Protein backbone atom coordinates (compact mmCIF):
# COMPACT_ATOMS: atom_id res chain seq x y z
CA UNK A 1 0.00 0.00 0.00
CA UNK A 2 1.36 3.52 -0.83
CA UNK A 3 1.54 6.27 1.95
CA UNK A 4 0.96 9.96 1.30
CA UNK A 5 3.54 12.56 2.44
CA UNK A 6 1.26 13.64 5.30
CA UNK A 7 0.88 10.08 6.52
CA UNK A 8 4.64 9.55 6.41
CA UNK A 9 5.26 12.72 8.45
CA UNK A 10 2.68 11.68 11.07
CA UNK A 11 4.26 8.21 11.42
CA UNK A 12 7.76 9.69 11.82
CA UNK A 13 6.47 11.94 14.64
CA UNK A 14 5.06 8.94 16.53
CA UNK A 15 8.32 7.02 16.25
CA UNK A 16 10.36 9.95 17.50
CA UNK A 17 8.13 10.51 20.58
CA UNK A 18 8.35 6.80 21.48
CA UNK A 19 12.14 6.99 21.57
CA UNK A 20 12.28 9.94 24.02
CA UNK A 21 9.89 8.80 26.77
CA UNK A 22 10.12 5.83 29.07
CA UNK A 23 7.48 6.85 31.61
CA UNK A 24 4.36 6.06 29.59
CA UNK A 25 2.40 2.81 29.66
CA UNK A 26 4.73 1.18 27.15
CA UNK A 27 7.75 2.09 29.22
CA UNK A 28 6.21 0.64 32.41
CA UNK A 29 5.37 -2.59 30.62
CA UNK A 30 8.95 -2.76 29.43
CA UNK A 31 10.21 -2.46 32.99
CA UNK A 32 11.80 0.97 32.59
CA UNK A 33 12.02 3.17 35.72
CA UNK A 34 9.61 6.08 36.01
CA UNK A 35 11.14 9.55 36.09
CA UNK A 36 8.47 10.70 38.56
CA UNK A 37 9.60 11.00 42.19
CA UNK A 38 7.65 11.94 45.32
CA UNK A 39 9.39 14.19 47.82
CA UNK A 40 6.33 15.00 49.93
CA UNK A 41 6.54 11.84 52.08
CA UNK A 42 9.77 11.07 53.88
CA UNK A 43 9.88 7.80 55.85
CA UNK A 44 10.79 8.41 59.49
CA UNK A 45 10.76 6.31 62.65
CA UNK A 46 7.52 6.65 64.60
CA UNK A 47 8.10 7.15 68.34
CA UNK A 48 6.21 4.66 70.48
CA UNK A 49 3.67 6.10 72.89
CA UNK A 50 1.43 4.67 75.57
CA UNK A 51 -2.20 4.71 74.50
CA UNK A 52 -4.93 5.15 77.05
CA UNK A 53 -8.52 6.26 77.38
CA UNK A 54 -9.26 9.89 76.44
CA UNK A 55 -9.22 12.08 79.52
CA UNK A 56 -12.20 14.30 80.21
CA UNK A 57 -11.46 17.97 79.38
CA UNK A 58 -12.47 20.46 82.05
CA UNK A 59 -14.61 23.19 80.54
CA UNK A 60 -12.83 26.49 80.25
CA UNK A 61 -9.38 25.14 81.05
CA UNK A 62 -6.52 25.04 78.54
CA UNK A 63 -5.49 21.74 77.02
CA UNK A 64 -3.20 19.71 79.25
CA UNK A 65 0.47 19.32 78.33
CA UNK A 66 2.27 16.00 78.14
CA UNK A 67 4.25 15.23 81.26
CA UNK A 68 7.26 14.22 79.16
CA UNK A 69 6.96 17.09 76.66
CA UNK A 70 10.65 17.82 76.13
CA UNK A 71 11.18 18.51 72.48
CA UNK A 72 9.16 15.72 70.90
CA UNK A 73 9.52 15.93 67.08
CA UNK A 74 6.54 17.67 65.49
CA UNK A 75 4.67 16.10 62.56
CA UNK A 76 5.80 17.44 59.18
CA UNK A 77 2.22 18.34 58.34
CA UNK A 78 2.35 21.14 60.91
CA UNK A 79 5.77 22.55 59.86
CA UNK A 80 5.84 26.07 58.34
CA UNK A 81 5.06 25.88 54.64
CA UNK A 82 6.65 27.89 51.80
CA UNK A 83 3.99 30.16 50.34
CA UNK A 84 3.65 32.26 47.21
CA UNK A 85 1.60 35.36 46.49
CA UNK A 86 -2.04 34.52 46.12
CA UNK A 87 -1.67 31.05 47.63
CA UNK A 88 -4.61 30.28 50.00
CA UNK A 89 -3.43 29.62 53.56
CA UNK A 90 -5.65 27.77 56.06
CA UNK A 91 -6.38 29.87 59.14
CA UNK A 92 -6.53 26.91 61.52
CA UNK A 93 -5.06 23.45 62.11
CA UNK A 94 -8.17 21.40 62.83
CA UNK A 95 -6.38 18.03 62.84
CA UNK A 96 -4.27 19.01 65.86
CA UNK A 97 -7.30 18.85 68.13
CA UNK A 98 -8.25 15.31 67.16
CA UNK A 99 -5.57 13.63 69.29
CA UNK A 100 -7.04 12.50 72.64
CA UNK A 101 -5.39 13.79 75.82
CA UNK A 102 -2.70 11.46 77.12
CA UNK A 103 -3.28 9.92 80.57
CA UNK A 104 0.14 11.24 81.60
CA UNK A 105 -1.03 14.82 81.20
CA UNK A 106 -0.49 17.38 83.94
CA UNK A 107 -2.52 20.29 85.28
CA UNK A 108 -0.42 23.23 86.49
CA UNK A 109 2.59 20.92 86.85
CA UNK A 110 0.70 18.25 88.79
CA UNK A 111 -0.17 14.82 87.49
CA UNK A 112 -3.88 14.59 86.93
CA UNK A 113 -5.91 12.65 89.50
CA UNK A 114 -8.45 10.26 87.95
CA UNK A 115 -11.63 9.24 89.75
CA UNK A 116 -11.72 5.55 90.58
CA UNK A 117 -13.76 3.14 88.47
CA UNK A 118 -12.64 -0.05 90.20
CA UNK A 119 -14.93 -2.92 91.06
CA UNK A 120 -14.56 -5.55 93.76
CA UNK A 121 -15.15 -9.28 93.51
CA UNK A 122 -15.88 -9.28 97.25
CA UNK A 123 -17.37 -5.88 98.09
CA UNK A 124 -17.44 -4.87 101.76
CA UNK A 125 -19.65 -2.36 103.55
CA UNK A 126 -17.16 -0.40 105.67
CA UNK A 127 -19.87 1.68 107.33
CA UNK A 128 -19.98 5.46 107.41
CA UNK A 129 -16.57 5.95 105.78
CA UNK A 130 -16.21 4.03 102.52
CA UNK A 131 -13.14 3.84 100.27
CA UNK A 132 -15.05 5.75 97.62
CA UNK A 133 -15.15 8.76 99.95
CA UNK A 134 -11.42 9.22 99.45
CA UNK A 135 -10.20 11.36 96.54
CA UNK A 136 -7.03 9.53 95.51
CA UNK A 137 -6.96 5.81 94.77
CA UNK A 138 -4.11 3.51 93.77
CA UNK A 139 -2.96 -0.09 93.44
CA UNK A 140 -0.12 -2.39 94.38
CA UNK A 141 1.10 -5.05 91.97
CA UNK A 142 3.56 -7.88 91.48
CA UNK A 143 4.29 -10.59 88.92
CA UNK A 144 0.87 -12.11 89.60
CA UNK A 145 -0.89 -9.31 87.68
CA UNK A 146 0.97 -10.34 84.51
CA UNK A 147 1.27 -7.90 81.62
CA UNK A 148 -0.46 -4.70 82.76
CA UNK A 149 -1.93 -2.05 80.45
CA UNK A 150 -0.67 0.84 82.57
CA UNK A 151 -2.28 3.75 80.64
CA UNK A 152 -5.64 1.98 80.83
CA UNK A 153 -5.15 1.19 84.52
CA UNK A 154 -4.38 4.81 85.25
CA UNK A 155 -7.58 6.10 83.64
CA UNK A 156 -9.49 3.62 85.82
CA UNK A 157 -8.20 5.42 88.92
CA UNK A 158 -4.69 4.12 89.62
CA UNK A 159 -3.12 7.45 90.54
CA UNK A 160 -0.32 5.72 92.39
CA UNK A 161 1.16 2.23 92.36
CA UNK A 162 3.44 0.35 94.68
CA UNK A 163 5.34 -2.29 92.74
CA UNK A 164 6.83 -5.47 94.18
CA UNK A 165 10.60 -5.28 93.79
CA UNK A 166 12.37 -7.70 96.11
CA UNK A 167 12.02 -10.08 99.02
CA UNK A 168 14.66 -11.56 101.23
CA UNK A 169 18.20 -11.06 100.02
CA UNK A 170 18.20 -12.81 96.67
CA UNK A 171 14.79 -12.60 94.97
CA UNK A 172 13.78 -9.98 92.40
CA UNK A 173 10.23 -9.90 91.10
CA UNK A 174 10.56 -10.81 87.38
CA UNK A 175 8.07 -8.08 86.38
CA UNK A 176 9.58 -5.30 88.47
CA UNK A 177 11.73 -3.61 85.83
CA UNK A 178 8.93 -3.68 83.26
CA UNK A 179 6.30 -2.42 85.70
CA UNK A 180 8.65 0.25 87.06
CA UNK A 181 9.29 1.66 83.60
CA UNK A 182 5.78 1.40 82.17
CA UNK A 183 4.06 2.85 85.23
CA UNK A 184 6.15 6.00 84.96
CA UNK A 185 5.57 6.23 81.21
CA UNK A 186 1.83 6.16 81.92
CA UNK A 187 2.15 9.09 84.34
CA UNK A 188 1.55 7.08 87.51
CA UNK A 189 3.31 7.97 90.73
CA UNK A 190 5.05 4.77 91.71
CA UNK A 191 7.20 3.34 94.44
CA UNK A 192 8.81 -0.02 95.17
CA UNK A 193 8.25 -2.39 98.08
CA UNK A 194 10.33 -5.11 99.72
CA UNK A 195 8.86 -8.17 101.41
CA UNK A 196 10.89 -8.68 104.58
CA UNK A 197 12.24 -12.17 105.28
CA UNK A 198 12.75 -12.99 108.96
CA UNK A 199 15.46 -15.60 108.35
CA UNK A 200 17.95 -13.19 106.75
CA UNK A 201 20.02 -10.30 108.04
CA UNK A 202 18.34 -6.91 107.65
CA UNK A 203 21.44 -5.23 106.21
CA UNK A 204 21.72 -7.86 103.47
CA UNK A 205 18.09 -7.33 102.53
CA UNK A 206 18.58 -3.56 102.38
CA UNK A 207 21.61 -4.00 100.14
CA UNK A 208 19.63 -6.27 97.82
CA UNK A 209 16.79 -3.74 97.54
CA UNK A 210 19.21 -0.87 96.88
CA UNK A 211 20.97 -2.93 94.23
CA UNK A 212 17.75 -3.48 92.28
CA UNK A 213 15.62 -0.36 92.81
CA UNK A 214 16.80 2.83 91.05
CA UNK A 215 17.17 6.05 93.00
CA UNK A 216 14.57 8.04 91.08
CA UNK A 217 13.74 11.54 92.41
CA UNK A 218 10.16 11.14 91.14
CA UNK A 219 9.54 7.88 93.00
CA UNK A 220 7.39 7.52 96.09
CA UNK A 221 9.14 6.50 99.32
CA UNK A 222 10.27 2.85 99.45
CA UNK A 223 8.15 0.41 101.45
CA UNK A 224 9.08 -2.33 103.90
CA UNK A 225 6.36 -5.01 103.93
CA UNK A 226 6.33 -6.69 107.36
CA UNK A 227 3.87 -9.48 108.10
CA UNK A 228 3.67 -13.10 109.13
CA UNK A 229 3.59 -15.34 106.07
CA UNK A 230 2.43 -18.89 106.72
CA UNK A 231 3.42 -19.92 103.19
CA UNK A 232 7.03 -18.81 103.56
CA UNK A 233 9.83 -21.33 104.01
CA UNK A 234 10.95 -19.19 106.95
CA UNK A 235 8.80 -20.20 109.93
CA UNK A 236 10.72 -18.09 112.41
CA UNK A 237 8.82 -15.48 114.43
CA UNK A 238 11.33 -13.26 116.22
CA UNK A 239 10.54 -11.45 119.45
CA UNK A 240 9.11 -7.94 119.28
CA UNK A 241 12.51 -6.52 120.24
CA UNK A 242 14.23 -8.41 117.41
CA UNK A 243 11.55 -7.38 114.93
CA UNK A 244 11.91 -3.69 115.75
CA UNK A 245 15.69 -3.88 115.62
CA UNK A 246 15.74 -5.58 112.23
CA UNK A 247 13.23 -3.14 110.81
CA UNK A 248 15.22 -0.16 112.08
CA UNK A 249 18.45 -1.42 110.46
CA UNK A 250 16.68 -1.96 107.14
CA UNK A 251 14.85 1.38 107.16
CA UNK A 252 17.87 3.41 108.22
CA UNK A 253 19.89 2.06 105.32
CA UNK A 254 17.13 2.81 102.80
CA UNK A 255 16.58 6.29 104.17
CA UNK A 256 20.27 7.14 103.83
CA UNK A 257 20.33 5.88 100.24
CA UNK A 258 17.03 7.24 98.88
CA UNK A 259 16.73 10.35 101.04
CA UNK A 260 13.16 9.43 102.01
CA UNK A 261 11.80 7.87 105.16
CA UNK A 262 10.38 4.43 104.23
CA UNK A 263 6.69 3.57 104.52
CA UNK A 264 5.76 0.61 106.73
CA UNK A 265 3.16 -1.80 105.29
CA UNK A 266 1.63 -4.28 107.69
CA UNK A 267 -1.37 -6.49 108.47
CA UNK A 268 -3.51 -6.70 111.63
CA UNK A 269 -1.95 -9.77 113.29
CA UNK A 270 1.63 -8.63 112.80
CA UNK A 271 0.77 -5.12 113.94
CA UNK A 272 -0.82 -6.41 117.13
CA UNK A 273 2.21 -8.59 117.92
CA UNK A 274 4.93 -6.05 117.18
CA UNK A 275 4.03 -2.53 116.12
CA UNK A 276 1.50 -1.10 118.57
CA UNK A 277 3.04 2.16 119.77
CA UNK A 278 6.21 1.72 117.65
CA UNK A 279 7.65 3.92 114.88
CA UNK A 280 5.38 6.87 115.56
CA UNK A 281 7.40 9.07 113.18
CA UNK A 282 7.08 6.75 110.19
CA UNK A 283 4.30 6.74 107.57
CA UNK A 284 2.12 3.61 107.72
CA UNK A 285 0.28 1.70 105.01
CA UNK A 286 -2.35 -0.48 106.67
CA UNK A 287 -4.18 -3.54 105.40
CA UNK A 288 -7.82 -3.60 106.51
CA UNK A 289 -10.14 -5.46 104.16
CA UNK A 290 -13.11 -5.95 106.49
CA UNK A 291 -13.20 -2.81 108.65
CA UNK A 292 -11.94 0.75 108.52
CA UNK A 293 -8.35 1.23 109.76
CA UNK A 294 -9.55 3.34 112.67
CA UNK A 295 -11.24 0.22 114.03
CA UNK A 296 -8.47 -2.28 113.24
CA UNK A 297 -5.55 -0.03 114.25
CA UNK A 298 -6.96 2.32 116.91
CA UNK A 299 -4.91 5.45 117.41
CA UNK A 300 -2.53 4.78 114.51
CA UNK A 301 -2.03 7.53 111.95
CA UNK A 302 -1.79 6.24 108.40
CA UNK A 303 -1.03 7.46 104.88
CA UNK A 304 -2.31 4.53 102.78
CA UNK A 305 -5.14 2.08 103.36
CA UNK A 306 -5.26 -1.22 101.46
CA UNK A 307 -8.97 -1.93 101.50
CA UNK A 308 -9.24 -4.82 99.05
CA UNK A 309 -7.28 -7.76 97.76
CA UNK A 310 -10.00 -8.68 95.28
CA UNK A 311 -10.22 -5.60 93.09
CA UNK A 312 -11.15 -5.73 89.42
CA UNK A 313 -10.13 -3.22 86.80
CA UNK A 314 -9.69 -2.68 83.11
CA UNK A 315 -6.04 -2.86 82.20
CA UNK A 316 -5.23 -5.93 84.28
CA UNK A 317 -6.34 -9.53 84.14
CA UNK A 318 -7.52 -11.11 87.36
CA UNK A 319 -7.59 -9.45 90.76
CA UNK A 320 -5.58 -6.53 92.04
CA UNK A 321 -5.03 -4.88 95.44
CA UNK A 322 -6.82 -1.55 95.88
CA UNK A 323 -5.70 1.35 98.08
CA UNK A 324 -6.53 4.93 99.01
CA UNK A 325 -4.50 7.91 100.18
CA UNK A 326 -5.60 9.44 103.47
CA UNK A 327 -6.31 12.97 102.36
CA UNK A 328 -7.73 15.29 99.73
CA UNK A 329 -6.48 15.75 96.19
CA UNK A 330 -4.52 18.84 97.24
CA UNK A 331 -3.22 16.92 100.23
CA UNK A 332 -1.95 14.23 97.89
CA UNK A 333 -0.11 16.70 95.66
CA UNK A 334 1.47 18.35 98.69
CA UNK A 335 2.53 15.03 100.21
CA UNK A 336 4.12 13.92 96.93
CA UNK A 337 5.89 17.25 96.45
CA UNK A 338 7.48 17.07 99.89
CA UNK A 339 8.85 13.59 99.19
CA UNK A 340 9.93 13.85 95.56
CA UNK A 341 11.43 17.34 95.48
Amino acid sequence: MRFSALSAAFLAGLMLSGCTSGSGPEGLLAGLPSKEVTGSVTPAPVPSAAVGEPAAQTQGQPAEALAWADGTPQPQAFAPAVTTVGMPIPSDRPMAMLSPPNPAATTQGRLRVYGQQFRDAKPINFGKVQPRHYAVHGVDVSRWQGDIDWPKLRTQGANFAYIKATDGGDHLDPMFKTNWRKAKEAGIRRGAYHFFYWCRRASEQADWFIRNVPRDPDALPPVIDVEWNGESSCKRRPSRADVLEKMQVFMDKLERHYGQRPVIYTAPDFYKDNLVGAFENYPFWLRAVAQHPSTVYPGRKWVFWQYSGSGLSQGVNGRIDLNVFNGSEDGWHNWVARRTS
Side-chain angles (χ1 to χ4, degrees), residues 41-122:
V41 179
T42 304
V46 180
S48 61
V51 180
E53 288 291 311
Q57 181 77 25
T58 304
Q59 186 175 3
Q61 292 186 354
E64 297 172 329
L66 292 177
W68 52 72
D70 54 357
T72 303
Q74 295 298 316
Q76 293 182 355
F78 295 156
V82 177
T83 60
T84 59
V85 177
M87 175 180 176
I89 303 175
S91 60
D92 200 358
R93 294 174 176 177
M95 292 300 293
M97 300 305 296
L98 295 181
S99 300
N102 194 289
T106 62
T107 302
Q108 298 179 346
R110 296 175 168 184
L111 290 174
R112 173 179 175 176
V113 170
Y114 283 82
Q116 70 89 15
Q117 301 181 48
F118 300 127
R119 294 165 290 119
D120 202 323
K122 298 179 180 180

Side-chain angles (χ1 to χ4, degrees), residues 107-108 110-113 134-136 325-339:
T107 302
Q108 298 179 346
R110 296 175 168 184
L111 290 174
R112 173 179 175 176
V113 170
Y134 292 87
V136 183
F325 169 77
N326 189 13
S328 65
E329 184 173 330
D330 282 341
W332 164 250
H333 290 305
N334 294 334
W335 188 83
V336 168
R338 289 196 301 271
R339 282 153 181 80

Side-chain angles (χ1 to χ4, degrees), residues 50-53 103 148-156 182 186 188:
V51 180
E53 288 291 311
I148 298 171
D149 184 340
W150 284 101
K152 173 70 72 173
L153 186 60
R154 185 184 180 212
T155 62
Q156 297 300 295
K182 289 188 175 182
I188 297 177

Side-chain angles (χ1 to χ4, degrees), residues 150 154 161 163 178-190:
W150 284 101
R154 185 184 180 212
I163 301 169
T178 298
N179 287 333
W180 186 254
R181 173 176 55 83
K182 289 188 175 182
K184 184 172 185 176
E185 289 174 352
I188 297 177
R189 292 289 185 189
R190 85 281 195 254

Side-chain angles (χ1 to χ4, degrees), residues 125-144:
N125 183 357
F126 289 96
K128 293 176 63 177
V129 183
Q130 301 283 335
R132 60 183 173 81
H133 294 149
Y134 292 87
V136 183
H137 288 242
V139 299
D140 59 276
V141 303
S142 68
R143 63 182 298 180
W144 304 113

Side-chain angles (χ1 to χ4, degrees), residues 120 122-126 131 265-268 286-293 296-297 305-311 320-323:
D120 202 323
K122 298 179 180 180
I124 296 293
N125 183 357
F126 289 96
Y265 169 92
T266 194
L286 302 175
R287 177 176 174 83
V289 297
Q291 294 175 298
H292 190 272
V296 184
Y297 307 86
W305 166 26
Q306 185 185 82
Y307 66 87
S308 175
S310 54
I320 189 170
D321 292 342
L322 304 178
N323 305 269

Side-chain angles (χ1 to χ4, degrees), residues 5-24:
L6 181 60
S7 298
F10 179 74
L11 181 58
L14 286 177
M15 292 176 65
L16 181 61
S17 63
C19 294
T20 58
S21 174
S23 60

Side-chain angles (χ1 to χ4, degrees), residues 15-327:
M15 292 176 65
L16 181 61
S17 63
C19 294
T20 58
S21 174
S23 60
E26 296 86 354
L28 293 177
L29 288 175
L32 298 176
S34 170
K35 294 182 181 179
E36 292 184 327
V37 294
T38 302
S40 60
V41 179
T42 304
V46 180
S48 61
V51 180
E53 288 291 311
Q57 181 77 25
T58 304
Q59 186 175 3
Q61 292 186 354
E64 297 172 329
L66 292 177
W68 52 72
D70 54 357
T72 303
Q74 295 298 316
Q76 293 182 355
F78 295 156
V82 177
T83 60
T84 59
V85 177
M87 175 180 176
I89 303 175
S91 60
D92 200 358
R93 294 174 176 177
M95 292 300 293
M97 300 305 296
L98 295 181
S99 300
N102 194 289
T106 62
T107 302
Q108 298 179 346
R110 296 175 168 184
L111 290 174
R112 173 179 175 176
V113 170
Y114 283 82
Q116 70 89 15
Q117 301 181 48
F118 300 127
R119 294 165 290 119
D120 202 323
K122 298 179 180 180
I124 296 293
N125 183 357
F126 289 96
K128 293 176 63 177
V129 183
Q130 301 283 335
R132 60 183 173 81
H133 294 149
Y134 292 87
V136 183
H137 288 242
V139 299
D140 59 276
V141 303
S142 68
R143 63 182 298 180
W144 304 113
Q145 275 67 53
D147 189 13
I148 298 171
D149 184 340
W150 284 101
K152 173 70 72 173
L153 186 60
R154 185 184 180 212
T155 62
Q156 297 300 295
N159 298 291
F160 63 88
Y162 267 106
I163 301 169
K164 172 71 175 292
T166 55
D167 60 79
D170 56 7
H171 179 75
L172 173 67
D173 188 288
M175 289 297 294
F176 171 68
K177 292 181 179 180
T178 298
N179 287 333
W180 186 254
R181 173 176 55 83
K182 289 188 175 182
K184 184 172 185 176
E185 289 174 352
I188 297 177
R189 292 289 185 189
R190 85 281 195 254
Y193 75 88
H194 172 84
F195 190 90
F196 202 86
Y197 189 65
W198 299 107
C199 295
R200 190 128 187 185
R201 292 178 60 185
S203 60
E204 293 177 353
Q205 297 188 60
D207 290 340
W208 179 245
F209 183 89
I210 290 169
R211 176 179 171 182
N212 288 284
V213 177
R215 185 162 50 185
D216 185 344
D218 293 329
L220 297 176
V223 167
I224 176 175
D225 179 343
V226 286
E227 53 187 295
W228 299 133
N229 182 8
E231 298 179 0
S232 173
S233 59
C234 176
K235 305 302 181 184
R236 183 185 175 198
R237 290 197 175 192
S239 66
R240 172 185 163 96
D242 286 345
V243 164
L244 299 184
E245 181 182 5
K246 285 177 174 289
M247 289 179 62
Q248 192 70 70
V249 169
F250 181 90
M251 293 188 297
D252 284 350
K253 205 158 191 177
L254 263 61
E255 186 170 355
R256 285 193 299 269
H257 181 77
Y258 294 102
Q260 301 185 82
R261 178 152 287 187
V263 174
I264 300 171
Y265 169 92
T266 194
D269 55 346
F270 187 92
Y271 180 86
K272 182 179 179 181
D273 291 343
N274 301 284
L275 298 178
V276 175
F279 299 121
E280 294 291 344
N281 295 324
Y282 282 77
F284 270 73
W285 174 12
L286 302 175
R287 177 176 174 83
V289 297
Q291 294 175 298
H292 190 272
S294 61
T295 301
V296 184
Y297 307 86
R300 172 60 70 179
K301 296 179 180 180
W302 54 275
V303 175
F304 297 109
W305 166 26
Q306 185 185 82
Y307 66 87
S308 175
S310 54
L312 302 171
S313 175
Q314 296 182 31
V316 63
N317 294 323
R319 300 182 182 185
I320 189 170
D321 292 342
L322 304 178
N323 305 269
V324 296
F325 169 77
N326 189 13

